[in-house]
């Protein structure tokens, strides 16, 4: 039932959707969500590769899975910081539209 | 080998250092003692050296090998060496002797001046350089002195620098001299190329000169064959002479000397009458064999000298500033000296250098005494009748006037007579029409000299007093050192001519023999000698007559209430000539039109075109504009729109990954 290509296709699809979201959407909230999507796409790929790695060797390593947990933890932290920044931006400028937040424009 | 020679220029130099560095703290009394003792010590050393070389047992010259100075083995070897022979001995004695007197005179003249120590430091430095100029054993060392005296001249002309006029005069002297110095340098380069050395003994060596005389330069050569150019020796002589026209104020570079009168009067006496301005004549005398080998150059020297003598005398006719009269008279007398050199009478020229140093220093110091007494009034129209208030100055000034006019037996009579005879011999006796023409010019100038000096005396000392009422009763004879210097110089001016009494008057031409410039008559037959002496008598009577006529006409013109000058000026030719003379023949205006204005126009053009447009706008402003434009262009990348950055970042990452994979694939293929 396990198929690495299928997993990788899924991962690539999710990643692409994520990239699209990050690049094309104006709403910071949606951008953050798309970022989560990209992270999770990577997680899927990691889990898949980890599984292949564990099967092909006898050492019983689970590096891929462990790394995924690590990414989840970082993603949680990132989401917390991202959302609190979002909150602050909203309070200060009353907008979360990226196109209106070009204050560093040269 | 005599290292004592070094002390001659070293004493004034020590005086310069002491006064220059410590002058302000030493106080005026100490400054004047140091400043006047320094040249006096140099005078004593020179005197001692002179005593040594007149000893028949000596070789007639002292030499100090010094030390290697500019030393490129086998290519260029110039030592710092001093040479003391008859010629430099006489110069040294005149410089330190007259110089000491003028230092003493300055103590009285400069009393109370805020720049007292500065003045004496400059004066000592001048003496140093002047002594170096005459003692230097090679042209380069002479040139160091040459430039040094030019520097001191500039510093002292602009001594009262608070007034723009004085600064302008100083700058003028400096810049005009640069023109001559360029030619001098070129002459030295030619000497280096063809003689291979700058040493005086090599440059005056007959064999060397004969060898170099074969060479020609490319100048004025046939363009097809490249031959027939100007002889090297002529080129050297002409270039060195151009250098001399700058320092010795000859046409066309004489214009700085009259303006140089802006300096203190003792400076005019020392630098611009007695010593520095004669260094051009000294140069020619020092290199006599070289000049004699270039007859064409000598003709130029003669023509320039005679023309300068005439032009300056004509200008002196109408000057009202007492110092300006003397300045033009100096230019005129220097012209005489060069005329003598041009006709081959180096001995006469050098004799005139010495006597001129005496009587012109006397005249300048006399005018200084008048100016001092008149509280810095220099206009002769506001003087007159000063004979009563200044009897002693009047007497000494009269001696100077008669000496320069050529009244026997005063100094100027002998030297001027010798010059006129040299012209007479070269022109009428040897049948050279060019020399004859300029002999007439020089005779006329002799009469004019007597005339304008008489005018100067009459306007200043005789007739009715035109002195400002405010000064009435305040004009008094300056005593002390001023009187002393006048006294000694008056004696020297009266008796200086006996240094070189010619043979036909029963003398032995001592100075001429001593300096080695005298042309010997030993190989002449008695008949030839008779003709020569007859010529000398004729020439002497002519010069006596012309000097007497000049003095008499001058007296008749300017004696009290003659009214002749005004009558002359009111006639049409008189007004024309008077205006020409009064405006110095518009030479300054001509130079302004020909050189100064075009130069200023070019500078203005350079300023606007090169400086303002090219450098400021194009280069400086341009590079700023370029950077700014580049920034303008690149700032568009800085949108502040985060997804945009991310897109760029993603694309970049993709490219990197692509490259990385490619490499991996290649690595795998191997």
């Amino acid at each position: 039932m396990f198929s690495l290509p299928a997993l990788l296709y899924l991962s690539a699809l999710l990643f692409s959707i994520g990239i699209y979201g990050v690049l094309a959407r104006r709403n910071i909230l949606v951008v953050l969500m798309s970022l989560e999507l990209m992270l999770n796409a990577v997680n899927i790929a990691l889990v898949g590769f980890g599984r292949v790695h564990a099967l092909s060797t006898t050492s019983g390593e689970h590096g891929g899975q462990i790394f995924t947990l690590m990414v989840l933890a970082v993603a949680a932290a990132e989401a917390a910081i991202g959302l609190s920044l979002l909150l602050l931006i909203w309070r200060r400028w009353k907008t979360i539209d990226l196109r209106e937040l070009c204050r560093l424009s040269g | 080998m005599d290292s004592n020679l070094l002390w001659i220029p070293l004493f004034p130099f020590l005086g310069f250092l002491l006064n220059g560095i410590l002058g302000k703290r030493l106080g005026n009394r100490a400054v004047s003692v140091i400043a006047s003792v320094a040249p006096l010590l140099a005078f004593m050393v020179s005197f001692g050296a002179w005593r040594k070389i007149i000893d028949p047992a000596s070789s007639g010259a002292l030499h100090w090998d010094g030390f290697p100075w500019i030393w490129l083995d086998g290519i260029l070897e110039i030592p710092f060496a001093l040479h003391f022979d008859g010629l430099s001995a006489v110069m040294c004695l005149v410089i330190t002797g007259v110089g000491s007197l003028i230092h003493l005179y300055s103590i009285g003249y400069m009393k109370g001046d805020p720049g007292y120590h500065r003045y004496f430091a400059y004066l000592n430095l001048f003496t140093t350089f002047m002594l170096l100029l005459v003692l230097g054993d090679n042209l380069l060392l002479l040139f160091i002195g040459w430039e040094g005296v030019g520097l001191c001249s500039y510093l002292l002309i602009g001594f009262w620098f608070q007034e723009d006029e004085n600064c302008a005069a100083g700058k003028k002297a400096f810049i005009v001299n640069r023109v001559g110095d360029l030619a001098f340098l070129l002459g030295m380069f030619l000497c280096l190329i063809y003689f291979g050395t700058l040493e005086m003994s090599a440059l005056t060596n007959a064999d060397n000169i004969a060898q170099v005389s074969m060479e020609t330069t490319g100048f004025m050569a046939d363009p097809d064959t490249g031959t027939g150019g100007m002889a090297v020796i002529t080129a050297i002589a002409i270039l060195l002479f151009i250098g001399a026209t700058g320092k010795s104020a000859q046409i066309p570079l004489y214009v700085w000397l009259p303006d140089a009168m802006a300096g203190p009067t003792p400076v005019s006496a020392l630098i611009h009458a007695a010593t520095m301005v004669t260094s051009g004549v000294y140069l020619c005398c020092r290199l006599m064999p070289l000049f004699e080998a270039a007859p064409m150059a000598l003709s130029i020297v003669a023509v320039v000298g005679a023309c300068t003598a005439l032009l300056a005398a004509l200008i002196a006719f109408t000057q009202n500033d007492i110092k300006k009269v003397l300045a033009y008279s100096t230019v005129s007398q220097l012209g005489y000296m060069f005329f003598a050199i041009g006709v081959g009478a180096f001995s006469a020229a050098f004799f005139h250098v010495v006597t001129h140093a005496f009587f012109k220093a006397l005249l300048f110091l006399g005018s200084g005494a008048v100016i001092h007494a008149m509280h810095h009034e220099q206009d002769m129209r506001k003087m007159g009748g000063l004979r009563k208030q200044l009897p002693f100055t009047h007497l000494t000034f009269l001696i100077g006037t008669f000496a320069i006019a050529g009244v026997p037996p005063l100094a100027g009579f002998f030297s001027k007579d010798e010059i006129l005879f040299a012209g007479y011999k070269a022109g009428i006796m040897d049948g050279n029409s060019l020399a004859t023409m300029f002999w007439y010019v020089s005779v006329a100038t002799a009469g004019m000299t007597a005339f304008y000096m008489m005018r100067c005396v009459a306007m200043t000392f005789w007739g009715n007093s035109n002195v400002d009422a405010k000064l009435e009763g305040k004009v008094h004879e300056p005593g002390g050192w001023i009187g002393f210097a006048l006294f000694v110089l008056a004696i020297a001016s009266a008796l200086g001519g006996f240094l070189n009494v010619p043979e036909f008057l029963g003398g032995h031409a001592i100075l001429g023999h001593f300096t080695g410039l005298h042309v010997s008559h030993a190989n002449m037959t008695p008949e030839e000698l008779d003709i020569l002496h007859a010529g000398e008598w004729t020439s002497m009577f002519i010069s006596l007559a012309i000097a007497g006529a000049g003095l008499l006409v001058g007296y008749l013109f300017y004696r009290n209430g003659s009214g002749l000058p005004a009558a002359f000026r009111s006639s049409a030719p008189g007004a024309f000539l008077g205006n020409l003379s009064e405006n110095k023949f518009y030479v300054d205006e001509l130079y302004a039109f020909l050189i100064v204005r075009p130069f200023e126009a070019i500078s203005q053009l350079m300023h606007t075109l090169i400086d303002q447009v090219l450098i400021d706008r194009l280069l400086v402003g341009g590079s700023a504009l370029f950077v700014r434009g580049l920034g303008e262009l690149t700032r568009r990348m800085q949108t502040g729109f985060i997804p945009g950055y991310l897109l760029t970042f993603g694309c970049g990452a993709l490219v990197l990954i692509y490259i990385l994979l490619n490499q991996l694939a290649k690595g795998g293929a191997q």
Side-chain angles (χ1 to χ4, degrees):
Chain A
M1 183 54 220
F2 173 75
S3 153
L4 185 64
L7 265 183
L8 290 183
Y9 280 129
L10 177 64
S11 163
L13 186 68
L14 282 176
F15 194 79
S16 304
I17 294 170
I19 284 188
Y20 171 77
V22 167
L23 295 183
R25 303 305 295 262
R26 302 169 171 195
N27 193 326
I28 298 179
L29 198 62
V30 179
V31 171
L32 277 175
M33 283 157 62
S34 308
L35 218 62
E36 292 301 319
L37 218 54
M38 285 165 75
L39 283 167
N40 283 316
V42 174
N43 280 347
I44 290 172
L46 279 173
V47 170
F49 284 125
R51 169 100 175 125
V52 174
H53 189 65
L55 285 179
S56 61
T57 57
T58 51
S59 61
E61 275 184 26
H62 299 285
Q65 279 75 0
I66 294 166
F67 209 83
T68 303
L69 288 176
M70 172 81 178
V71 171
L72 282 177
V74 172
E78 177 257 309
I81 294 171
L83 286 172
S84 47
L85 279 175
L86 179 78
L87 210 61
L88 286 173
I89 289 172
W90 171 254
R91 280 193 191 154
R92 192 171 166 85
W93 288 298
K94 296 289 174 210
T95 175
I96 49 167
D97 189 335
L98 273 177
R99 284 194 197 279
E100 289 170 26
L101 291 171
C102 300
R103 307 191 76 87
L104 279 176
S105 169
Chain B
M1 184 71 188
D2 196 324
S3 58
N4 281 343
L5 284 184
L6 185 62
W7 285 104
I8 300 176
L10 208 56
F11 275 126
F13 189 65
L14 290 176
F16 159 69
L17 286 182
L18 271 174
N19 281 338
I21 297 168
L22 299 173
K24 214 161 203 164
R25 256 173 258 165
L26 286 172
N28 285 358
R29 203 180 191 88
V31 166
S32 36
V33 170
I34 293 169
S36 22
V37 163
L40 269 175
L41 287 173
F43 178 74
M44 283 178 207
V45 180
S46 310
F47 192 75
W50 173 73
R51 288 286 299 277
K52 266 189 211 166
I53 63 171
I54 54 167
D55 182 4
S58 78
S59 63
L62 294 177
H63 193 84
W64 181 60
D65 288 336
F67 50 86
W69 177 32
I70 295 175
W71 213 260
L72 298 169
D73 280 317
I75 304 167
L76 182 64
E77 297 176 351
I78 299 174
F80 191 97
L82 303 179
H83 191 72
F84 190 87
D85 58 6
L87 198 59
S88 31
V90 176
M91 283 305 278
C92 277
L93 289 172
V94 169
I95 293 162
T96 53
V98 176
S100 299
L101 284 174
I102 290 171
H103 277 75
L104 291 173
Y105 178 95
S106 300
I107 296 174
Y109 192 82
M110 297 301 286
K111 191 182 280 170
D113 194 282
Y116 198 77
H117 65 284
R118 189 163 57 90
Y119 172 83
F120 278 104
Y122 290 164
L123 219 53
N124 275 343
L125 186 66
F126 169 79
T127 314
T128 310
F129 278 124
M130 195 64 213
L131 289 167
L132 198 63
L133 192 159
V134 296
L135 284 173
D137 189 37
N138 53 59
L139 266 189
L140 193 61
L141 210 51
L142 186 151
F143 190 64
I144 297 290
W146 187 276
E147 291 298 303
V149 291
L151 167 74
C152 296
S153 159
Y154 159 79
L155 290 171
L156 284 163
I157 293 169
F159 180 73
W160 289 311
F161 55 81
Q162 291 86 346
E163 287 186 29
D164 283 348
E165 234 173 275
N166 300 347
C167 300
K171 276 191 284 184
K172 187 174 180 183
F174 206 75
I175 293 166
V176 172
N177 266 300
R178 285 281 82 60
V179 180
D181 292 344
L182 176 68
F184 193 113
L185 267 177
L186 292 176
M188 280 208 293
F189 291 145
L190 275 185
C191 286
L192 260 184
I193 294 170
Y194 288 97
F195 285 91
T197 171
L198 292 176
E199 243 155 272
M200 296 294 184
S201 53
L203 293 179
T204 51
N205 181 299
D207 293 342
N208 286 352
I209 290 174
Q211 208 176 355
V212 174
S213 296
M214 308 286 183
E215 312 264 4
T216 54
T217 59
F219 182 62
M220 299 203 312
D222 192 320
D224 298 324
T225 57
T227 55
M230 182 188 264
V232 165
I233 209 94
T234 311
I236 292 176
I238 289 178
L239 284 170
L240 291 179
F241 173 63
I242 295 175
T245 59
K247 193 106 317 190
S248 293
Q250 297 296 295
I251 291 173
L253 300 177
Y254 72 89
V255 287
W256 65 270
L257 185 57
D259 287 27
M261 296 301 126
T265 307
V267 169
S268 311
L270 177 62
I271 302 184
H272 304 122
T275 55
M276 184 186 86
V277 288
T278 58
S279 50
V281 183
Y282 167 79
L283 175 73
C284 295
C285 290
R286 172 58 78 198
L287 298 175
M288 179 171 91
L290 195 151
F291 276 87
E292 276 180 333
M296 190 185 136
L298 278 187
S299 319
I300 294 177
V301 174
V303 171
V304 169
C307 289
T308 310
L310 179 69
L311 182 76
L314 282 173
I315 297 175
F317 274 1
T318 53
Q319 296 304 309
N320 288 319
D321 182 327
I322 184 167
K323 284 182 74 182
K324 284 272 159 79
V325 175
L326 295 177
Y328 280 107
S329 154
T330 306
V331 176
S332 180
Q333 298 302 310
L334 290 165
Y336 258 111
M337 298 172 203
F338 280 107
F339 173 68
I341 286 171
V343 295
F346 290 79
S347 162
F350 191 70
F351 184 27
H352 203 52
V353 166
V354 176
T355 57
H356 178 256
F358 293 149
F359 60 67
K360 192 49 73 61
L362 172 65
L363 286 170
F364 263 116
L365 294 186
S367 78
V370 172
I371 294 166
H372 193 64
M374 296 284 293
H375 297 264
H376 292 274
E377 178 58 63
Q378 296 185 201
D379 193 334
M380 291 193 296
R381 286 169 300 188
K382 294 183 185 158
M383 296 176 184
L386 291 176
R387 183 172 40 126
K388 294 179 207 95
Q389 288 100 323
L390 305 170
F392 180 68
T393 311
H394 168 239
L395 184 69
T396 54
F397 202 87
L398 211 56
I399 292 175
T401 303
F402 285 147
I404 192 176
V407 173
L410 304 177
F413 163 71
F414 293 99
S415 56
K416 191 173 279 189
D417 179 52
E418 225 178 285
I419 292 177
L420 289 176
F421 169 67
Y424 181 75
K425 181 172 180 302
I428 291 179
M429 289 172 76
D430 294 352
N432 181 329
S433 56
L434 185 78
T436 309
M437 197 167 87
F438 286 101
W439 176 71
Y440 282 125
V441 169
S442 62
V443 169
T445 310
M448 283 150 61
T449 308
F451 177 83
Y452 67 68
M453 284 313 298
M454 202 50 164
R455 168 179 177 268
C456 180
V457 172
M459 282 180 81
T460 311
F461 290 102
W462 299 348
N464 293 331
S465 169
N466 298 320
V467 180
D468 199 331
K470 273 182 286 184
L471 287 173
E472 207 62 66
K474 285 188 190 163
V475 179
H476 53 89
E477 189 77 72
W481 290 117
I482 295 185
F484 174 73
L486 288 177
F487 178 70
V488 177
L489 280 171
I491 291 176
S493 303
L495 305 178
F498 293 102
L499 284 174
N500 201 29
V501 179
E503 277 143 10
F504 78 102
L505 289 177
H508 299 285
I510 303 165
L511 186 80
H513 284 295
F514 181 58
T515 53
L517 299 170
H518 190 72
V519 180
S520 172
H521 298 150
N523 53 2
M524 281 185 159
T525 61
E527 292 83 48
E528 281 174 328
L529 263 182
D530 280 346
I531 297 174
L532 192 75
H533 287 329
E536 280 176 302
W537 281 106
T538 320
S539 167
M540 189 183 83
F541 282 120
I542 293 173
S543 74
L544 267 178
I546 194 84
L551 285 174
L552 187 68
V553 175
Y555 176 71
L556 289 177
F557 251 67
Y558 288 95
R559 88 199 143 108
N560 205 11
S562 80
L564 279 173
F568 179 72
R569 284 300 287 272
S570 60
S571 70
F576 174 71
L577 290 174
N579 279 337
L580 261 187
S581 165
E582 205 161 330
N583 291 299
K584 304 150 196 166
F585 288 85
Y586 299 97
V587 172
D588 277 331
E589 284 77 2
L590 183 74
Y591 284 180
F593 177 73
L594 285 181
I595 297 160
V596 181
R597 297 260 179 72
F599 191 78
E600 279 174 349
I602 292 172
S603 307
Q604 189 60 44
L605 191 74
M606 288 289 163
H607 175 63
T608 45
L609 202 72
I610 305 290
D611 205 49
Q612 286 190 331
V613 174
L614 184 74
I615 294 181
D616 284 359
R617 295 243 180 89
L618 237 60
L619 291 181
V620 177
S623 55
L625 264 181
F626 174 74
V627 172
R628 191 190 160 134
L630 213 64
E632 200 65 47
L633 222 67
T634 46
R635 64 180 278 213
R636 309 238 173 263
M637 290 163 66
Q638 195 82 9
T639 55
F641 181 58
I642 295 160
Y645 295 158
L646 281 176
L647 184 61
T648 323
F649 164 70
C651 293
L654 273 183
V655 170
L656 279 178
I657 289 168
Y658 174 75
I659 293 170
L660 205 69
L661 287 179
N662 243 2
Q663 300 246 319
L664 278 175
K666 263 190 210 157
Q670 275 170 3

